[in-house]
Each structure stands twice: as structure tokens, then as C-alpha cells.
């Protein structure tokens, strides 16, 4: 794992293809990112709160991470989507979150940066978490199937907040 002096990019992507046995690895041995999540932070973010059931899941997740209950929090947020909660993949995702907290410091707070609806049944959410060394960006994609509640489709976090701002 890179030292504190090395520019570090932690990426956690949850997509069904990632759980496949023949995962492709990037050159830095972190999972290759195959995601629809935008890489840049929007210039005019919309901090409109997500639906109540999504907000409840995210509050529980971040509160759990802040309390040091990373494994339980991660398992809870992916529980409603079997393709994301593959028991073989969960330890790797949890370890990536742990490493991020070791490098950047404990979670000191979080705020919603942006919510982007894609039609009426998909939303992209971007949160910024605060740590002693620098902020992290968390991106979540939720989907609401017909006659069902919102479920997490994708989760990603990285330390590229300053690099991901859209220049004027």
C-alpha cells in the first residue's frame, strides 16, 4: 500500500462484474474502475436531500464508519443487493475503507455535495467526508425497481476532491 508521501487514490467500486472471478487489476493492484459515475464534481451541485430511505441507509453507513464499525456498516449498506454483497468480495472492500481511514485519518464528518437524478428511478449521490489529512469523495448510485424500495447499485470512494473540480 502506498506510503503517506505517495499520492494515493483509493477506489472502491461495487458492480456485479467486479464480483466475477476473473477480475482485472490495475497496475497499482487496486480494482480497475468500470463505472458510470462521473469523474468530475459538478460546478453547480444540487444538495437536495436524497429520498428518506436512502438518507437513512447513508446516515447509518457513515455513522457506523465513524464509530469504527466498518464491516457491519458496509454489510448493511449492500445487504439489499445480493450482487454487491458477495461474501468473497466484502473483506476486500472493507479493507480498502480501513486503509483509507488509516492514511487520511478518522472520519470527522460528512456532507452531501451533489444529487443528480437520472430519470425517476436512478440517482447519483456525491458526499464529501472530512478527515485530519484531507477530504474523501464518496459516490453512490441508487436504483428504485418497480414496486420496490431504493437499492444501492454502486459505491466508490477516492481522495481526488481537489483534482476532480471542474475548472472555470
Amino acid at each position: 500500500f502506498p506510503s503517506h508521501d505517495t499520492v494515493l487514490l483509493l477506489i472502491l467500486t461495487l458492480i456485479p462484474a467486479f464480483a466475477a472471478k476473473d477480475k482485472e487489476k490495475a497496475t497499482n493492484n487496486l480494482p480497475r474502475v468500470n463505472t458510470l459515475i462521473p469523474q468530475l464534481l459538478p460546478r453547480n451541485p444540487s444538495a437536495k436531500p436524497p429520498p428518506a430511505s436512502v438518507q437513512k441507509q447513508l446516515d447509518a453507513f457513515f455513522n457506523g464508519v465513524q464509530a469504527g464499525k466498518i464491516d457491519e456498516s458496509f454489510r448493511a449498506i449492500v445487504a439489499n443487493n445480493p450482487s454487491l454483497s458477495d461474501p468473497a468480495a466484502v473483506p476486500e472492500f472493507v479493507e480498502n475503507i480501513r486503509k483509507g481511514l488509516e492514511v487520511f485519518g478518522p472520519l470527522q464528518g460528512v456532507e452531501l455535495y451533489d444529487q443528480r437524478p437520472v430519470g425517476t428511478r436512478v440517482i447519483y449521490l456525491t458526499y464529501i467526508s472530512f478527515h485530519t489529512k484531507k477530504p474523501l469523495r464518496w459516490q453512490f448510485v441508487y436504483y428504485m425497481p418497480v414496486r420496490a424500495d431504493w437499492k444501492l447499485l454502486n459505491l466508490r470512494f477516492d481522495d481526488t476532491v481537489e483534482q476532480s473540480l471542474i475548472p472555470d
Side-chain angles (χ1 to χ4, degrees), residues 70-151:
I70 298 166
D71 188 79
E72 299 92 335
S73 301
F74 183 82
R75 288 179 191 278
I77 201 165
V78 300
N80 70 351
N81 191 336
S83 64
L84 300 181
S85 57
D86 174 14
V90 168
E92 184 175 355
F93 294 131
V94 169
E95 185 59 23
N96 283 341
I97 295 171
R98 272 191 221 293
K99 286 178 182 176
L101 297 177
E102 286 172 15
V103 171
F104 299 112
L107 179 64
Q108 298 176 326
V110 65
E111 67 183 37
L112 175 65
Y113 176 78
D114 187 47
Q115 185 215 126
R116 296 285 162 180
V118 178
T120 58
R121 298 187 171 277
V122 176
I123 54 174
Y124 288 83
L125 299 163
T126 302
Y127 283 77
I128 305 296
S129 64
F130 306 105
H131 307 267
T132 52
K133 295 191 177 163
K134 69 186 292 188
L136 295 176
R137 172 178 62 170
W138 299 77
Q139 295 177 308
F140 302 86
V141 179
Y142 275 86
Y143 169 63
M144 185 174 60
V146 176
R147 292 184 294 280
D149 200 6
W150 292 96
K151 69 179 191 174

